[in-house]
């Protein structure tokens, strides 16, 4: 993450607890198997690199997100760049490809829809929308 870019934080107020638990449990199992040194989704701040990506996430996955501009407090914090694109346009049935999609979230070297998992503090600079 470069100092010239101000990361954007998403805040989710509407996702169902069951869906969130299921989704994050699958991704956590995949993280342990494929990239155990990556931060757990249960202990991070979710960031996007640009406002456009934060808006895309909000518009695609949950209309109730708030978007904030933030600055990292610790530039040396553990982080990982996951690929949310693997959960867009999911074919039916989902379960036939779920394990591979979770693996790709963690290991795709060129994410098409990146989100940053930031295992450190951030300072909120502005409530963008």
């Amino acid at each position: 993450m470069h100092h010239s870019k101000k990361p954007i934080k998403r805040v989710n107020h509407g996702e169902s607890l069951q869906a969130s638990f299921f989704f994050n449990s699958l991704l956590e199992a995949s993280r342990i198997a494929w990239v155990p040194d990556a931060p757990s989704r249960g202990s991070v701040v979710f960031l996007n690199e640009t406002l456009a990506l934060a808006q895309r996430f909000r518009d695609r996955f949950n209309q109730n997100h708030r978007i904030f501009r933030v600055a990292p407090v610790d530039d040396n914090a553990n982080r990982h760049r996951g690929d949310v694109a693997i959960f867009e346009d999911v074919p039916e049935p989902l379960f036939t490809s779920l394990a591979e999609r979770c693996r790709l979230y963690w290991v795709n070297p060129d994410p098409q829809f990146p989100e940053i998992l930031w295992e450190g503090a951030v300072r909120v600079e502005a409530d963008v929308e």
Side-chain angles (χ1 to χ4, degrees):
M1 195 162 320
H2 304 290
H3 293 288
S4 60
K5 287 186 178 180
K6 293 293 182 181
I8 303 296
K9 179 181 182 346
R10 304 180 316 262
V11 177
N12 184 350
H13 295 291
E15 185 176 73
S16 79
L17 183 58
Q18 295 86 358
S20 177
F21 179 77
F22 177 73
F23 173 72
N24 284 298
S25 294
L26 294 172
L27 284 171
E28 183 66 7
S30 183
R31 178 193 69 80
I32 291 166
W34 294 101
V35 286
D37 293 334
S40 170
R41 291 174 55 87
S43 65
V44 299
V45 178
F46 294 90
L47 306 174
N48 291 105
E49 296 167 335
T50 66
L51 177 58
L53 284 170
Q55 290 167 328
R56 179 178 167 193
F57 185 93
R58 181 200 55 209
D59 295 346
R60 172 65 178 94
F61 295 105
N62 193 321
Q63 297 292 320
N64 296 322
H65 281 201
R66 297 292 309 148
I67 299 174
F68 297 89
R69 185 177 62 241
V70 300
V73 172
D74 177 9
D75 284 336
N76 296 317
N78 190 17
R79 70 201 76 180
H80 185 81
R81 199 165 179 243
D83 192 359
V84 179
I86 57 135
F87 293 106
E88 289 190 303
D89 303 319
V90 177
E92 294 295 330
L94 170 62
F95 293 107
T96 61
S97 63
L98 193 54
E100 178 62 6
R101 285 175 177 271
C102 286
R103 185 186 74 80
L104 287 172
Y105 171 87
W106 293 105
V107 301
N108 186 352
D110 185 26
Q112 301 305 301
F113 189 171
E115 73 175 351
I116 307 299
L117 307 181
W118 186 265
E119 195 175 49
V122 295
R123 180 179 59 255
V124 175
E125 295 186 336
D127 184 342
V128 178
E129 55 183 63

